[in-house]
């Protein structure tokens, strides 16, 4: 899928490049990214596509980066958002298309991005030719980088150079701007920017006002929203990949099918877990006169591992489930799965989910081995989940059983030489009264009721 998206990007870029004034162009690509460069007299323009755009949120993004390095003593690069306000203050076009999920969307988004670039190119060219342009660009970048990354490149890096520090300026700036672009792209892959593009200025205003650290462009955007009397969508639905992408990223669009799948899978997994539970309990307590783990109410703990297994299986089987039961969403699921889940991440996820299966199995075993069992020669108590063998008390070690039934459970304190155990925690009152106490009475254990000090 990613290869097909890049193929479309390369074809569209090469066709667009032929219509521009660029004196040379180049296109570089690898497995999950590509850069098409237009070289002009005073600056270069990079149309950049990247599957992993730099931060944790944005995926499969198409972006424009303007490179003014040829006019500066050190590398200067910026996104269009950084400089658009310097030469076209009323322009609020979208310059970063995030969550491009298929070839069709790439074709639409590139055409729109190229069209918007054609409109502002004459103004950008005039601005780049002005004498004070570089000073304005540096000032905007300095404030934005300082506000996001926390580095003042005009001061910090220059001071290191003045102090004789041995640093590679190109590498330092390359790293600095890649870090900054990660923050900046993340700012334009958010709910507030999506609301603005969709024309819902009220929602966008509330969210931008709560945002503490804003870019210079976002401050200008906020002023525009506050002064706008007639809000209109910036992008129509076919270009709005950010809206659908954020839903997929947050899991909103696939939540109902996934939940329904988990519900369907819960029943067979619950049957398997309960079956394993009783098989393990039957083996462990086959010689017991009574064992609380064999009671149905104690087997209800199998709901927890069954839920984990159904969640895990739904992930593994989601493609089959979508294909059979949610055909309309199947194609979209495949598209977004390609950009959100790389092969490496899928392998890591599978390992984690297999661990969930193992943990569920261990939980069933420990649950089946937890409780009280009464034998011919004594009583065995497994007081907690990780107590595999438990503690065995022969009838000769037991002084008495203090039975104080109260409600559904009650207090059934088994007294030994130097301490006591409330075995009423492991069986309900009816089982204590009708099953356990008769066995203890037959083994000459004293039963005390309504005891007082």
């Amino acid at each position: 899928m990613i290869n097909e998206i890049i193929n479309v990007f390369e074809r569209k870029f090469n066709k667009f490049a032929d219509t521009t004034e660029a004196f040379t162009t180049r296109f570089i690509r690898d497995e999950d990214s590509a850069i098409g460069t237009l070289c002009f007299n005073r600056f270069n323009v990079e149309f950049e596509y990247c599957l992993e755009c730099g931060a944790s949120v944005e995926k499969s993004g198409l972006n424009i980066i303007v490179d003014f390095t040829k006019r500066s003593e050190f590398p200067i690069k910026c996104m269009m958002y950084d400089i658009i306000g310097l030469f076209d203050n009323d322009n609020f076009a979208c310059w970063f298309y995030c969550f491009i999920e298929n070839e069709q969307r790439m074709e639409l988004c590139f055409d729109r991005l190229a069209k918007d670039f054609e409109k502002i190119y004459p103004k950008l060219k005039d601005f780049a030719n002005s004498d004070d342009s570089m000073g304005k660009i540096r000032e905007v970048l300095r404030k934005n980088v300082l506000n996001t990354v926390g580095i003042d490149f005009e001061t910090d890096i220059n001071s290191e150079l003045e102090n004789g520090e041995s640093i590679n300026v190109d590498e330092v700036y390359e790293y600095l701007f890649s870090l900054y672009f990660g923050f900046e792209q993340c700012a334009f892959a958010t709910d507030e920017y999506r609301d603005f593009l969709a024309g819902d200025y009220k929602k966008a205003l509330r969210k931008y006002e709560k945002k503490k650290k804003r870019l210079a462009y976002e401050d200008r955007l906020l002023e525009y929203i506050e002064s706008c009397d007639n809000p209109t969508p910036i992008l129509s639905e076919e270009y709005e990949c950010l809206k659908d992408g954020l839903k997929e990223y947050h899991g909103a669009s696939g939540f109902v099918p996934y939940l329904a799948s988990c519900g369907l899978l819960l029943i067979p997994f619950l049957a398997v877990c309960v079956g394993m539970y009783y098989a393990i309990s039957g083996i462990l307590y086959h010689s017991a006169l009574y064992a609380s783990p064999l009671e149905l109410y104690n087997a209800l703990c199998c709901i927890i591992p069954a839920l984990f297994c159904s969640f895990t299986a739904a992930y593994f089987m989601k493609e089959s489930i979508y294909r059979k039961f949610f055909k309309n969403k199947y194609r979209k699921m495949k598209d977004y799965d390609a950009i959100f889940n790389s092969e490496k991440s899928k392998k890591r996820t599978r390992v984690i989910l297999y661990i969930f299966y193992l943990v569920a199995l261990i939980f069933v075993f420990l649950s089946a081995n937890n409780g009280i069992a009464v034998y011919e020669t004594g009583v065995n108590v497994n007081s907690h989940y990780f107590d595999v063998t438990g503690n065995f008390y022969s009838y000769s070690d037991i002084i008495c059983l203090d039975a104080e039934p109260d409600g559904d459970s009650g207090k059934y304190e088994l007294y030994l030489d130097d301490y006591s155990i409330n075995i009423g925690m492991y069986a309900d009152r009816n089982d204590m009264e009708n099953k356990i106490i008769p066995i203890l009475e037959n083994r000459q254990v004293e039963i005390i009721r309504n005891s007082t000090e």
Side-chain angles (χ1 to χ4, degrees):
M1 175 61 70
I2 303 304
N3 187 55
E4 285 77 7
I5 291 175
I6 296 178
N7 286 341
V8 172
F9 174 43
E10 183 174 11
R11 173 173 57 82
K12 299 295 291 186
F13 172 80
N14 289 333
K15 184 177 180 181
F16 172 70
D18 293 337
T19 66
T20 67
E21 297 179 355
F23 58 81
T24 184
T25 65
R26 59 177 178 270
F27 192 90
I28 303 173
R29 62 180 293 173
D30 57 23
E31 292 182 356
D32 57 6
S33 65
I35 298 177
T37 305
L38 304 174
C39 299
F40 297 99
N41 185 36
R42 312 222 8 134
F43 57 89
N44 294 341
V45 176
E46 297 175 354
F47 284 74
E48 180 185 67
Y49 170 80
C50 191
L51 177 61
E52 302 286 343
C53 298
S56 60
V57 178
E58 64 272 19
K59 305 288 183 181
S60 190
L62 178 64
N63 181 30
I64 284 184
I65 294 176
V66 187
D67 186 353
F68 292 96
T69 301
K70 61 180 66 177
R71 293 191 58 201
S72 173
E73 67 273 17
F74 53 82
I76 287 290
K77 292 183 177 183
C78 52
M79 288 179 64
M80 192 63 75
Y81 292 110
D82 293 314
I83 60 172
I84 190 68
L86 298 177
F87 60 86
D88 195 358
N89 193 55
D90 296 327
N91 188 307
F92 291 97
C94 179
W95 300 103
F96 176 54
Y97 290 87
C98 193
F99 304 117
I100 296 174
E101 76 275 24
N102 53 40
E103 307 97 295
Q104 294 77 22
R105 187 83 81 171
M106 168 57 81
E107 190 157 353
L108 287 169
C109 291
F110 184 90
D111 286 343
R112 181 61 186 264
L113 190 63
K115 183 178 180 181
D116 288 334
F117 175 75
E118 280 184 322
K119 288 180 181 179
I120 61 97
Y121 171 70
K123 294 181 180 180
L124 174 60
K125 181 180 177 182
D126 292 341
F127 171 73
N129 289 329
S130 62
D131 296 333
D132 60 347
S133 59
M134 289 309 300
K136 293 179 179 179
I137 294 170
R138 287 177 183 172
E139 182 59 23
V140 171
L141 282 177
R142 188 188 68 81
K143 290 181 179 178
N144 284 342
V145 173
L146 181 61
N147 195 31
T148 55
V149 183
I151 297 175
D152 189 336
F153 63 81
E154 288 282 359
T155 303
D156 296 345
I157 297 178
N158 285 339
S159 64
E160 291 186 8
L161 291 173
E162 291 173 359
N163 293 331
E165 296 287 342
S166 177
I167 61 173
N168 188 312
V169 177
D170 289 342
E171 290 182 0
V172 170
Y173 273 91
E174 187 71 27
Y175 172 75
L176 177 63
F177 282 117
S178 66
L179 192 63
Y180 166 61
F181 290 152
F183 282 96
E184 188 171 20
Q185 289 169 357
C186 190
F188 297 103
T190 57
D191 291 324
E192 55 266 27
Y193 191 57
R194 178 205 64 191
D195 292 333
F196 170 73
L197 294 176
D200 195 343
Y201 287 9
K202 289 184 179 179
K203 280 187 179 180
L205 179 63
R206 288 197 300 267
K207 293 171 183 176
Y208 271 118
E209 286 178 337
K210 293 178 181 178
K211 195 171 182 179
K212 295 181 179 179
K213 292 185 177 181
R214 294 190 294 264
L215 299 168
Y217 181 88
E218 292 178 298
D219 286 330
R220 193 166 63 88
L221 191 95
L222 187 58
E223 293 177 1
Y224 172 75
I225 292 173
E226 290 174 336
S227 62
C228 185
D229 297 327
N230 186 27
T232 56
I234 303 298
L235 296 177
S236 53
E237 190 69 26
E238 63 267 24
Y239 303 104
E240 246 287 49
C241 47
L242 181 58
K243 179 180 179 181
D244 294 335
L246 284 173
K247 284 184 178 180
E248 290 293 330
Y249 178 78
H250 295 302
S253 63
F255 179 73
V256 174
Y258 181 74
L259 197 62
S261 303
C262 292
L264 291 173
L265 292 169
L266 176 61
I267 298 173
F269 274 113
L270 183 59
V272 171
C273 288
V274 170
M276 291 176 56
Y277 176 91
Y278 277 112
I280 295 170
S281 296
I283 294 172
L284 293 175
Y285 301 108
H286 67 280
S287 61
L289 301 176
Y290 171 84
S292 64
L294 293 172
E295 299 295 343
L296 180 61
Y297 52 80
N298 283 326
L300 293 177
C301 65
C302 291
I303 294 176
I304 297 175
L307 278 172
F308 273 101
C309 289
S310 65
F311 292 152
T312 303
Y315 176 84
F316 284 119
M317 299 172 61
K318 67 179 181 180
E319 183 173 340
S320 299
I321 292 170
Y322 269 71
R323 187 172 59 249
K324 291 180 180 179
F325 301 106
F326 307 101
K327 294 181 180 180
N328 292 334
K329 291 182 176 290
Y330 175 66
R331 179 60 185 175
K332 181 179 286 190
M333 184 274 292
K334 290 286 290 180
D335 289 341
Y336 282 108
D337 185 64
I339 66 173
F340 284 121
N341 300 303
S342 65
E343 288 303 318
K344 289 183 179 180
S345 65
K346 287 179 181 178
K347 289 180 181 179
R348 288 195 297 266
T349 303
R350 289 192 186 100
V351 171
I352 293 172
L353 294 179
Y354 282 132
I355 292 174
F356 280 173
Y357 279 135
L358 180 61
V359 170
L361 178 63
I362 295 173
F363 183 87
V364 170
F365 172 79
L366 295 175
S367 299
N369 192 37
N370 182 255
I372 179 174
V374 183
Y375 295 89
E376 289 283 355
T377 56
V379 177
N380 193 79
V381 180
N382 286 53
S383 58
H384 55 80
Y385 275 98
F386 298 101
D387 187 6
V388 178
T389 58
N391 297 307
F392 184 81
Y393 309 102
S394 64
Y395 292 119
S396 60
D397 296 328
I398 300 173
I399 298 174
C400 65
L401 176 69
D402 183 6
E404 299 180 19
D406 181 21
D408 294 331
S409 56
K411 181 181 178 182
Y412 293 88
E413 203 78 19
L414 194 67
Y415 283 92
L416 304 163
D417 288 335
D418 52 356
Y419 62 96
S420 62
I421 303 172
N422 181 17
I423 60 175
M425 298 170 57
Y426 308 105
D428 67 14
R429 189 180 69 175
N430 290 331
D431 288 336
M432 289 297 305
E433 293 290 338
N434 301 324
K435 297 178 181 180
I436 297 177
I437 288 180
I439 297 175
L440 297 181
E441 287 178 329
N442 290 336
R443 290 344 180 247
Q444 307 303 313
V445 175
E446 182 181 2
I447 308 299
I448 301 174
R449 296 185 180 275
N450 300 321
S451 63
T452 62
E453 186 176 354

